[in-house]
Amino acid sequence: MVFSADAEAPETWECKFCSNEAILMVGSEPVVLDRAEAKVPRSHWDMLLERRTRDELEELLQERLDYLRARRGQQKIGA
């Protein structure tokens, strides 16, 4: 398969003739591309810790739990 000179060649792609996986080769050796700059996926927790400290998160959790417990207690009294 022919690629543009300034395009980054993929490690694998689908063969247009047999639909099998094709591998980038130089001569008779497969090429190993360095993917060191690939982004590591961040979890929701990682992104949350970028915005808040653990102490802030503990405080928010406690506030929310207190609110929910108070609300639950009000529903029992009114029923």
Side-chain angles (χ1 to χ4, degrees):
M1 180 171 283
V2 178
F3 295 102
S4 172
D6 56 334
E8 187 175 325
E11 287 184 32
T12 62
W13 62 92
E14 185 177 310
C15 176
K16 65 181 179 179
F17 300 111
C18 65
S19 299
N20 288 331
E21 185 178 84
I23 300 172
L24 183 61
M25 305 280 284
V26 173
S28 63
E29 296 293 318
V31 174
V32 178
L33 300 176
D34 182 22
R35 300 283 186 207
E37 296 180 21
K39 281 186 161 183
V40 175
R42 295 182 303 167
S43 69
H44 177 74
W45 180 247
D46 294 333
M47 290 184 270
L48 189 61
L49 288 177
E50 290 174 5
R51 296 188 308 269
R52 306 234 186 223
T53 65
R54 262 190 108 89
D55 291 336
E56 289 174 319
L57 292 171
E58 289 289 338
E59 184 179 335
L60 289 170
L61 175 62
Q62 191 58 51
E63 288 174 9
R64 190 64 185 166
L65 289 172
D66 292 343
Y67 168 77
L68 291 172
R69 287 177 182 138
R71 193 171 128 205
R72 185 184 309 153
Q74 288 174 355
Q75 289 176 352
K76 287 182 181 178
I77 294 170

